[in-house]
Amino acid sequence: IFNGEMGKAAAVLADLASNEVELAARKKSMLSLSKLAAYAAEVDLSVQIENINRELHLLEHQNQIDPEILLALGFEMDNMRVLQAEEMIELYISEDYTKSTEIEFRKALELLSYVEDSLEYRNKIWCAAIKKDNWLSVNLDNPLDKISETTFYKLVDLCFILDNDLEMYVPPVDTFLTASELEDFLSEKSFVYLIKLTYEHIRETFK
């Protein structure tokens, strides 16, 4: 940097940041310095800046995770290590995270662009959203009011509000009818009926 070779400095700092796994704060500092150097470089480094912004956005996701769940699962807050996107998703949808709402599940969905097997994790997120509520206690004579109160339905609603396109995140209903995560639910005919009814309601509501 002091030699004025900003492009080279940006590349070196970005490389150091990509290999940093011990401290999230240190990784953020490296990325921020790399971004500044890239802006000051004598050549166009817009692609590198875009990649840096993507990594900074991922770190911002980590900063938004509720400290309560991090502490509960044994993470060291003072010297927080770098979390992978997959780890963050698992935290957002953890059964131990009893305070999680559709907002946390939405954040998990937003991390899908950072994971290799995004389809597997997408389905995992939605299955976890379903399991937040006791579907087997729903009154089948008047189910829609109760369904609209579930985390699953609220997550669908939130996705529609933010994206106006449910196909981006919401899987087809058949995904849940064969999901191993929902094995206990699928043994009950009432759940199969309710999840199909929910999708019919979604199609009618979010046209």
Side-chain angles (χ1 to χ4, degrees):
I1 292 178
F2 296 112
N3 293 332
E5 297 181 1
M6 293 298 180
K8 183 177 180 180
V12 170
L13 285 165
D15 186 58
L16 288 171
S18 68
N19 291 314
E20 176 59 50
V21 295
E22 292 183 358
L23 293 174
R26 186 161 60 201
K27 183 181 182 77
K28 183 178 181 179
S29 296
M30 290 176 179
L31 287 170
S32 298
L33 287 171
S34 178
K35 184 177 178 179
L36 287 173
Y39 273 123
E42 61 282 355
V43 295
D44 182 13
L45 295 178
S46 56
V47 173
Q48 182 171 321
I49 291 170
E50 184 177 337
N51 290 335
I52 292 170
N53 285 335
R54 179 174 164 81
E55 290 302 311
L56 285 170
H57 185 252
L58 185 59
L59 284 173
E60 183 57 31
H61 265 286
Q62 179 170 336
N63 289 336
Q64 292 176 9
I65 298 174
D66 188 343
E68 185 176 321
I69 186 62
L70 292 172
L71 289 170
L73 295 177
F75 286 92
E76 189 177 348
M77 298 299 298
D78 291 337
N79 296 296
M80 189 66 189
R81 68 174 176 84
V82 178
L83 298 179
Q84 299 301 310
E86 292 87 347
E87 291 179 287
M88 287 186 244
I89 290 174
E90 295 288 355
L91 284 169
Y92 277 131
I93 69 174
S94 171
E95 291 183 359
D96 294 321
Y97 194 178
T98 56
K99 296 196 311 183
S100 64
T101 68
E102 69 274 10
I103 294 173
E104 282 71 36
F105 282 87
R106 167 67 192 198
K107 289 178 180 179
L109 289 172
E110 291 174 355
L111 287 165
L112 290 176
S113 62
Y114 290 92
V115 303
E116 187 172 335
D117 195 343
S118 59
L119 185 62
E120 177 185 345
Y121 273 92
R122 182 200 66 174
N123 296 344
K124 193 171 187 178
I125 292 165
W126 285 99
C127 285
I130 287 174
K131 292 171 70 175
K132 283 287 290 185
D133 297 279
N134 184 5
W135 290 69
L136 304 183
S137 67
V138 174
N139 184 349
L140 298 182
D141 293 329
N142 187 25
L144 291 181
D145 287 344
K146 184 64 176 178
I147 286 172
S148 65
E149 296 174 359
T150 63
T151 301
F152 177 85
Y153 188 85
K154 289 179 180 178
L155 180 57
V156 171
D157 189 25
L158 183 58
C159 287
F160 185 78
I161 291 171
L162 295 177
D163 306 311
N164 199 29
D165 179 12
L166 293 182
E167 291 185 4
M168 182 185 300
Y169 285 129
V170 183
V173 65
D174 290 346
T175 301
F176 304 117
L177 301 180
T178 57
S180 59
E181 295 95 331
L182 301 176
E183 186 176 359
D184 292 340
F185 284 52
L186 291 170
S187 62
E188 300 290 338
K189 291 182 180 180
S190 61
F191 171 73
V192 175
Y193 165 74
L194 287 170
I195 199 67
K196 289 181 178 180
L197 180 65
T198 301
Y199 266 76
E200 290 176 11
H201 186 52
I202 288 170
R203 282 192 290 270
E204 289 297 317
T205 306
F206 304 103
K207 291 182 179 179

